[in-house]
């Protein structure tokens, strides 16, 4: 239970006090009314004694009474009605609320930190008035009057006569059978005569005379002269006199007769309420003299007011509060001085010491003597106590075994009642030991007689006596209280007494820290007959649970909810709201979603009823923003009520800014912003550039690639350096892009914001008039630092604004979101001025989907009418029908909305709020930036960067380019060549220039060479026309090569221009506004099969100066699927043809091409035709085709192969001069009927691009070198150059394809780069196999190595050897036995340096096979030669071969050894022999 102001002992002692009645004459009552008080109210603050009192018990022992209080009340002859008591108790609880600004008690229990009210003043007020309102009963005497004060004024004409009349009146009320109320303790009631003397009116001598007469007649012990009203009206008003009555009257004003009369309706006031009840036996004159303020109970109300405290009773709370305010504001005791206060206090002490306590002591002795004499026991009860308890005991029966004897009545003189009377007297004067003995004795007698009501009362007070005994050795009998409660409740059916017993026992248990037992008692006392009592007790039970040693937090919350529920049913809305709010602290955020929904829903209801509209909106908002597990119907009810409450709030302050709406959810981090127009879609053969759109998914790798492409072109435009203020162009911003800098938008180009909505409910939502909220600051960036005087503008106040002079705002009329759906919406703004734009959020009307205009039989018109009345809105249908809407209710006054009461399980707006109700609000787009993790401080804390995606800078107009690809293919063969067209359109009002395209795959496309003469004219549209420049040749029958020379610079391949950036050849380099141009574009299929994604970045600039970045980019991604075509493998070897006379043919090569058809025929290709083979090199050229076949045009069907042989020679001197100038020699060997000029576009374009790509790949592979390789010396390079062949082969082909029963001719080219002699090269790209994982090896850095020497393989190719001899030689061996044949040995130094050569002719074939096949011969003359050849020098040696008989001989037996001159080499290296030199010797 909550903390109380009084301790338990003080509470019980103040609850059961001696009762004193008051009867006043009219004059006496008039004297006290000068102070705005009755006599009982006048003495009430002084009814507690400030000193100890001593009295004697029946055993003549002194007993001390401490802090005694008496209760002085006016006599009331009518008992109160329970309905009126309940009403007044409800008002008491309503008037008692938590003090504002009171610091709550913080209780920490586990994970909970609860703010709970430390005190519950409403419970104490309820408890106090409950005990005050309890009528006296016959089974106990605690609330019976012990004495009666007869008060007469000295102003009365005959005071003694008035005393006599009042005495007679008291006697009649007590002893007449017509009056059963009030109750009197004993027949001989103490009468105390009080003479009031108003000092301000004078006549003190008369008062003293009357007082002396009183003492003479009644005795000095029962008479008192009370002088008061000493303050004169002429006294200064500045004198401050304390007002001790305010605390009592404010707390107990409902007892005042005047206030109670205020509760009774005028129609129900009876005559008795005005003139009092007639007193039988008294004449009218006496009756007229009796004051009328003693005839009705202060709690008596109208007989017609019999409603219980439920939701249907109408309580004039405002009237009660008004009366309370009036009484509390009215001053009391204005005629009294501090001396008068002391006189009143002295009067109460004199009455208690000399009148009341002696009377009580005398009564106790008399009762004790009567009991002793009647029972025949010893003189005093004290000496007989032992016998009574130690004698034969009657076994106690259980409650179930006892009969319902609550109707048993004892006569007033019954000994059992005398014992109970004595016990009550002892209890009232704090003699708890004697009281317990008497209660215990009476309890046994009552149980024997089965008088259960009397027994329960004795048990209750016996337990209280034990508890109040100072230093008692007895343990508090909890079972006494439990038995009493059960008896009152079950057998006697007296819930009032059961409640009293429960309150007493709970307080006692709480003081003993037995909170669990106290909570159990309180919970058992709850029932359905009184919601207020159940609510009060449940709340106290909840406080018991939270105050336990181990707080039971969830039980506390659960019982607070039950208490709030019962408070709500009892129409205690503020208390219900408070209970639910305190319980919410436990359930919030713990996963109890349904409980949270119930609590928030109830909080919203109660807050709305109490006009706490902001709290109501917050509570309903909380229901909607959580993931609810409610059913769809319940969620719809929640939403309707939220809209209803929200509408009421918005009507209170229509000029206030739009508040935040909870639905639907906005995934702020998923918000995307797109800058620019939507691109025109593709039309027929025209394919628009893909660029960037909101329909594309963001890929981080792709974004990085676009960034690299843009940086490359920007660096080239700015002469190799990227500007410091460079900002990467981002058309679409999201959570993964770099949003630290302000994005740049262009005036007159829309800004599109994509917002992701999520509907957490199961019911659909309808958003209408949906638009963006923005703020705009005008700024002219071209003026530099000059500031514009314009103020910032915003559409927050007028969110319905669709268009303005500065910003055009798109408004979506309707946007529906289904239940539990995630849906995106795109909203646009069109800025028309330069400046800074800030997108704040979105604004919309939220409503439910009005799919059903009728619900549960309720006509939509009636629902609209009711809603219009409640919300004070006009309906067009109502206006047409002539129905006038009701006047708007003041939300701060009681209205018909109060009648929107609810029953649990039903929505209070059911049938009252139409489905189409909508409210307008906003939601802010608050985006959290990325977490910072760069510095040490950022790493050790949680800091987030800024996200500027919603704060674009609007710059001046820029050009805008659109690109369309005409007949752009989606599939190609590897190496296939296709001609398309590209259309460039400037859709802006600004001219553009500097158009460039950046691509990582420049070997995929070409715009043609810079020189127009090298670019063929566009052929006419025909299926068989070629994309190449062709010429009909007459040399088709021959195989000689046709040569031409070009420079790579003509095709944009000069060293100063990177290969990734290609300038688009616009006419005059400028594209005017609204102009378009079409340019040819040649495409070549990649050499590798598969799907290729090729990114084009078009870069262009404005012709005008720009404040921000002046360039713009356009993106396009082409998807090309390539399939296999041909595979070309090439090998070069040295030719044996070496003529000593003709030096032009000294160095030549044999080139072998192996061409295979690797197409899988999936593309419908029937066959390939090799129509031309061309070469391109700075040093070599193809000379002729030496194929023995007559079929020059090689045809390859599926999986067929062909081998071609060509002779290649070094370029001549004149051609070598051109090559030294950086030009390439193209040689074309035509195998068909037409020559394709390979030195023109597009053949040369793709050749040079392919070469650059190969060099880039080669450089990339050579970059990561693991260990350092030895340095290559100058000599070694010269040796290596002997075997290098820088010869590129271009194989041009045609393919015949059948598609849609139509034959098409495809054409293409493949490239093969020969690097060295004897090493095979292939047209297919080399696929690097994945390396197996090897163990990590640690190596030690070695010293710089000396230049590496040439390898033996390289040294064996220094000299080219050739033998010249006749193939057939006729000789007559009969005439001459020896045949001498002249042979010439030709030696050619392939190097550029001198070489020492040794020719050894002594070698003989020792193998038997050689002897058998080739026979034996000998060389005549010098057999060893030592020769030194300069670089590229030819030397001949004349030899003679001697044969002895005819046959076939191999002359290739000479061995040639060579070594580099001026090199420290010990031995020579044997040179590779040429092919066998066979000679046939014929015998003639």
């Amino acid at each position: 239970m909550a903390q109380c102001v009084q301790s338990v002992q003080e509470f019980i002692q103040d609850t059961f006090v001696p009762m004193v009645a008051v009867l006043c004459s009219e004059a006496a009552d008039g004297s006290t009314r000068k102070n705005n008080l009755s006599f009982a109210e006048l003495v009430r603050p002084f009814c507690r004694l400030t000193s100890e009192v001593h009295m004697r018990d029946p055993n003549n022992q002194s007993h001390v009474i401490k802090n005694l209080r008496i209760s002085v009340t006016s006599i009331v002859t009518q008992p109160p009605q329970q309905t009126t008591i309940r009403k007044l108790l409800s008002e008491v609880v309503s008037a008692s609320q938590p003090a504002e600004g009171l610091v709550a008690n913080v209780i920490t229990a586990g994970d909970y930190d609860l703010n709970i009210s430390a005190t519950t003043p409403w419970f104490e007020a309820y408890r106090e008035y409950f005990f005050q309102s309890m009528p006296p009963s016959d089974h106990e005497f605690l609330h019976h009057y012990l004495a009666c004060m007869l008060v007469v004024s000295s102003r009365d004409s005959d005071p003694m006569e008035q005393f006599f009349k009042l005495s007679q009146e008291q006697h009649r009320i007590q002893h007449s059978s017509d009056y059963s109320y009030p109750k009197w303790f004993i027949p001989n009631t103490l009468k105390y005569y009080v003479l009031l003397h108003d000092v301000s009116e004078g006549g003190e001598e008369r008062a003293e005379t009357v007082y002396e007469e009183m003492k003479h007649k009644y005795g000095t012990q029962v008479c008192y002269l009370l002088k008061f009203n000493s303050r004169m009206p002429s006294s200064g008003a500045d004198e401050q006199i304390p007002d001790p009555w305010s605390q009592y009257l404010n707390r107990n004003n409902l007892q005042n007769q005047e206030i109670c009369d205020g509760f009774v309706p005028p129609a129900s006031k009876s005559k008795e309420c005005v003139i009092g009840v007639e007193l039988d036996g008294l004449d009218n004159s006496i009756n007229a003299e009796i004051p009328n303020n003693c005839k009705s109970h202060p709690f008596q109300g109208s007989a017609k007011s019999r409603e219980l405290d439920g939701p249907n009773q109408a309580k004039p709370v405002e009237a009660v509060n008004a009366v309370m305010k009036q009484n509390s504001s009215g001053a009391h005791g204005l005629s009294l001085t501090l001396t008068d206060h002391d006189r009143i206090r002295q009067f109460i002490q004199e009455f208690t010491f000399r009148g009341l306590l002696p009377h009580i002591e005398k009564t106790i002795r008399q009762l004790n003597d009567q009991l002793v004499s009647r029972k025949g026991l010893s003189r005093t009860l004290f000496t007989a106590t032992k016998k009574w308890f130690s004698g034969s005991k009657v076994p106690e029966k259980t409650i179930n075994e006892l009969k319902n004897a609550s109707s048993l009545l004892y006569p007033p003189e019954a000994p059992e009642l005398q014992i109970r009377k004595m016990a009550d007297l002892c209890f009232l004067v704090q003699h708890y030991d004697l009281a317990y003995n008497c209660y215990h004795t009476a309890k046994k007698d009552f149980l024997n007689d089965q008088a259960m009501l009397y027994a329960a009362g004795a048990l209750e007070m016996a337990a209280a006596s034990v508890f109040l005994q100072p230093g008692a050795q007895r343990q508090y009998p909890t079972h006494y209280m439990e038995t009493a409660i059960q008896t009152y409740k079950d057998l006697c059916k007296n819930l009032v007494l059961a409640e009293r017993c429960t309150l007493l026992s709970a307080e006692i248990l709480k003081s003993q820290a037995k909170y669990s037992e106290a909570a159990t008692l309180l919970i058992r006392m709850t029932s359905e007959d009184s919601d207020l009592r159940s609510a009060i007790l449940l709340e106290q039970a909840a406080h018991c649970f939270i105050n336990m040693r181990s707080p039971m937090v969830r039980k506390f919350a659960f019982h607070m909810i039950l208490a709030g529920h019962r408070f709500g049913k009892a129409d205690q809305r503020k208390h219900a709201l408070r209970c639910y709010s305190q319980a919410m602290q436990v359930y919030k955020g713990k996963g109890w979603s349904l409980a949270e929904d119930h609590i928030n829903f109830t909080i919203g209801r109660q807050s709305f009823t109490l006009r706490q509209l902001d709290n109501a909106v917050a509570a309903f908002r909380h229901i909607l923003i959580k993931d609810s597990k409610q059913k769809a119907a319940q969620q719809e009810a929640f939403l309707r009520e939220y809209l209803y409450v929200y509408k009421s709030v918005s009507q209170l302050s229509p000029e206030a800014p739009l508040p935040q709406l909870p639905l639907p959810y906005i995934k702020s981090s998923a918000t995307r912003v797109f800058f620019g127009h939507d691109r025109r879609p593709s039309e027929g053969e025209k394919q628009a550039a893909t660029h960037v759109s909101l329909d594309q998914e963001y890929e981080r790798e792709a974004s990085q690639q676009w960034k690299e492409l843009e940086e490359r072109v920007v660096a080239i435009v700015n002469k190799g350096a990227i500007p410091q203020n460079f900002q990467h162009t981002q058309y679409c911003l999201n959570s993964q892009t770099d949003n630290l800098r302000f994005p740049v938008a262009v005036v007159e180009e829309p800004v599109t914001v994509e917002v992701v909505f999520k509907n957490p409910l199961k019911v659909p939502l309808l958003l209408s008039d949906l638009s963006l909220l923005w703020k705009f600051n005008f700024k002219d960036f071209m003026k530099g630092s000059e500031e514009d005087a314009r103020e910032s503008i915003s559409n927050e106040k007028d969110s319905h604004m669709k268009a303005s002079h500065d910003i055009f705002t798109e408004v979506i009329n309707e946007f529906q979101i289904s239940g539990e759906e995630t849906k995106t919406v795109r909203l646009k703004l069109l800025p028309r001025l330069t400046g800074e734009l800030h997108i704040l959020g979105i604004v919309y009307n939220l409503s439910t989907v009005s799919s059903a205009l009728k619900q549960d039989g309720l006509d939509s018109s009636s629902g609209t009418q009711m809603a219009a009345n409640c919300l004070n809105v006009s309906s067009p249908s109502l206006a047409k029908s002539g129905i006038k809407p009701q006047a708007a209710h003041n939300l701060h006054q009681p209205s018909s909305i109060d009648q929107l009461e609810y029953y649990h399980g039903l929505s209070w707006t059911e049938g009252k709020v139409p489905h189409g109700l909508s409210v307008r609000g906003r939601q802010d787009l608050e985006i959290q930036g990325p977490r910072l993790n760069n510095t040490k401080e950022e790493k050790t804390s949680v800091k987030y960067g800024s996200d500027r995606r919603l704060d674009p800078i609007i710059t001046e107009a820029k050009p805008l380019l659109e690109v369309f690809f005409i007949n752009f293919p989606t599939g190609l063969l590897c190496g296939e060549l296709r001609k398309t067209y590209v259309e460039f359109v400037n859709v802006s009002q600004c001219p553009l220039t500097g158009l460039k395209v950046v691509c990582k795959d420049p070997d995929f496309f070409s715009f043609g060479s810079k020189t127009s003469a090298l670019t063929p004219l566009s052929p006419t549209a025909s299926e068989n026309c070629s994309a190449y420049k062709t010429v009909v040749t007459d040399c088709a029958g021959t195989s000689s090569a046709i040569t031409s020379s070009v420079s790579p610079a003509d095709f944009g391949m000069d060293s100063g221009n990177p290969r990734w950036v290609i300038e688009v050849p616009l006419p005059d380099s400028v594209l005017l506004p609204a102009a378009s141009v079409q340019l040819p574009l040649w495409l070549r299929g990649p050499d590798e099969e598969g799907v290729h994604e090729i990114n084009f970045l078009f870069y262009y600039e404005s012709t005008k100066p720009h404040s921000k970045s002046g360039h713009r980019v356009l993106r396009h991604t082409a998807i090309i699927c390539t399939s296999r075509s041909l595979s070309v493998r090439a090998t070069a070897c040295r030719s044996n043809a070496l003529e000593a006379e003709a030096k032009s043919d000294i160095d030549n090569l044999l080139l072998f091409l192996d061409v295979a058809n690797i197409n899988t025929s999936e593309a419908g290709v029937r066959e390939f035709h090799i129509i031309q083979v061309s070469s391109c090199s700075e040093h070599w050229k193809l000379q002729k085709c030496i194929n023995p076949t007559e079929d020059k045009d090689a045809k390859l069907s599926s999986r067929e192969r062909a081998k071609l042989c060509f002779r290649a020679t070094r370029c001549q001197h004149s051609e070598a001069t051109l090559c030294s100038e950086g030009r390439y020699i193209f040689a074309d060997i035509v195998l068909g009927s037409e020559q394709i000029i390979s030195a023109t576009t597009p053949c040369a374009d793709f050749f040079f691009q392919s070469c650059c790509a190969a060099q880039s790949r080669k450089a990339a592979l050579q970059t990561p070198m693991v260990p350092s390789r030895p340095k290559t010396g100058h000599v070694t390079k010269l040796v290596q150059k002997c075997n290098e062949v820088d010869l590129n082969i271009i194989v041009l082909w045609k393919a015949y394809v059948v598609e849609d029963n139509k034959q098409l001719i495809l054409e293409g080219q493949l490239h093969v780069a020969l690097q060295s002699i004897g090493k095979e090269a292939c047209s297919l790209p080399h696929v690097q196999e994945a390396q197996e994982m090897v163990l990590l090896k640690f190596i030690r850095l070695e010293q710089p190595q000396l230049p590496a020497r040439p390898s033996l393989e390289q040294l064996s190719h220094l000299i080219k050897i050739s033998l010249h001899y006749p193939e057939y030689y006729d000789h007559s061996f009969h005439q001459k036995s020896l045949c001498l044949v002249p042979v010439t040995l030709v030696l050619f130094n392939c190097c550029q340096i001198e070489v020492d050569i040794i020719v050894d002719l002594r070698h003989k074939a020792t193998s038997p096979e050689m002897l058998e096949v080739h026979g034996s011969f000998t060389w005549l003359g010098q057999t060893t030669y030592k020769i030194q050849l300069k670089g590229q020098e030819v030397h001949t040696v004349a030899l003679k071969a001697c044969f002895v008989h005819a046959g076939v001989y191999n002359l290739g037996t000479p061995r040639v050894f060579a070594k580099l001159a001026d090199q420290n080499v010990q031995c020579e290296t044997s040179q590779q022999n040429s092919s066998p030199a066979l000679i046939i010797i014929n015998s003639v």
Side-chain angles (χ1 to χ4, degrees), residues 105-109 112-116 546 553 556 582 585-586:
N105 186 26
V106 179
I107 296 180
T108 302
Y112 301 94
D113 291 327
L114 308 179
N115 293 327
I116 301 174
I546 202 62
V553 180
F556 160 78
Q582 289 189 359
Q585 300 177 81
V586 177

Side-chain angles (χ1 to χ4, degrees), residues 197-336:
H197 175 64
D198 193 336
V199 178
S200 63
E201 296 180 358
E204 187 172 353
E205 294 180 357
R206 184 176 182 272
E208 291 291 345
T209 302
V210 174
Y211 180 60
E212 291 296 331
E213 186 178 355
M214 289 168 54
K215 290 194 291 182
H216 178 73
K217 183 176 181 179
Y218 301 116
T220 59
Q221 300 294 328
V222 292
C223 295
Y224 195 85
L225 173 61
L226 177 60
K227 299 178 181 181
F228 74 125
N229 290 350
S230 301
R231 191 177 185 183
M232 299 302 175
S234 60
S235 301
D238 297 337
E239 184 181 359
Q240 297 294 331
I241 302 297
D243 183 7
W245 298 274
S246 58
Q247 55 179 330
Y248 292 95
L249 296 182
N250 289 341
R251 202 173 50 175
N252 301 306
N253 52 11
L254 295 181
Q255 283 186 323
N256 297 337
Q257 181 63 33
E258 291 79 9
I259 300 177
C260 291
D261 291 342
F263 288 121
V264 181
S268 63
K269 288 186 177 181
S270 59
K271 184 178 180 180
E272 290 80 356
C273 298
V274 180
I275 64 174
V277 181
E278 293 184 1
L279 303 179
D280 297 338
L282 296 179
D283 55 12
N284 291 334
S285 60
I286 299 177
N287 191 21
E289 295 295 332
I290 297 176
N292 57 18
N293 59 355
C294 65
K295 301 303 183 293
S296 61
H297 194 274
F299 293 98
Q300 180 64 43
S302 172
K304 297 180 181 180
S305 300
R306 301 183 181 275
E307 298 177 354
L308 302 181
D309 47 30
N312 295 324
Q313 67 172 356
K315 296 184 178 181
V317 181
E318 289 77 6
V320 176
N321 294 335
V323 174
M324 293 172 60
K325 183 177 181 181
Q326 179 180 358
N327 282 348
S328 60
S329 61
H332 305 95
L334 295 178
S335 301
L336 302 178

Side-chain angles (χ1 to χ4, degrees), residues 1-12 15 120 123-124 127-128 131 467-468 476 481 485 499-515 517-519 521-522 536-537 540-541 544:
M1 299 175 69
Q3 300 177 5
C4 297
V5 177
Q6 291 180 313
S7 65
V8 184
Q9 289 79 4
E10 293 174 346
F11 158 67
I12 298 177
T15 299
T120 52
F123 167 69
E124 297 179 42
R127 186 181 62 184
E128 180 179 353
F131 282 106
F467 174 74
L468 293 174
Y476 171 69
M481 283 292 191
I485 295 172
E499 183 179 355
R500 183 188 73 176
C501 189
T502 299
L503 293 175
L504 292 175
S505 181
E507 290 292 340
I508 294 172
L509 292 172
K510 182 192 73 170
S511 67
Q512 298 175 346
K514 297 180 179 179
Y515 292 105
E517 292 82 351
L521 284 180
L522 294 170
I536 289 288
L537 298 183
Q540 293 305 308
C544 289

Side-chain angles (χ1 to χ4, degrees), residues 185-206:
F185 205 95
I186 57 176
N188 188 16
T189 303
L190 171 66
K191 295 178 182 178
Y192 199 80
Y193 302 91
V194 181
L195 180 64
L196 284 180
H197 175 64
D198 193 336
V199 178
S200 63
E201 296 180 358
E204 187 172 353
E205 294 180 357
R206 184 176 182 272

Side-chain angles (χ1 to χ4, degrees), residues 1036-1055:
T1038 65
S1039 300
S1040 301
I1042 303 173
T1043 61
S1044 58
S1045 65
V1046 294
S1047 172
D1050 297 335
F1051 300 90
M1053 293 295 118
D1054 53 330
S1055 59

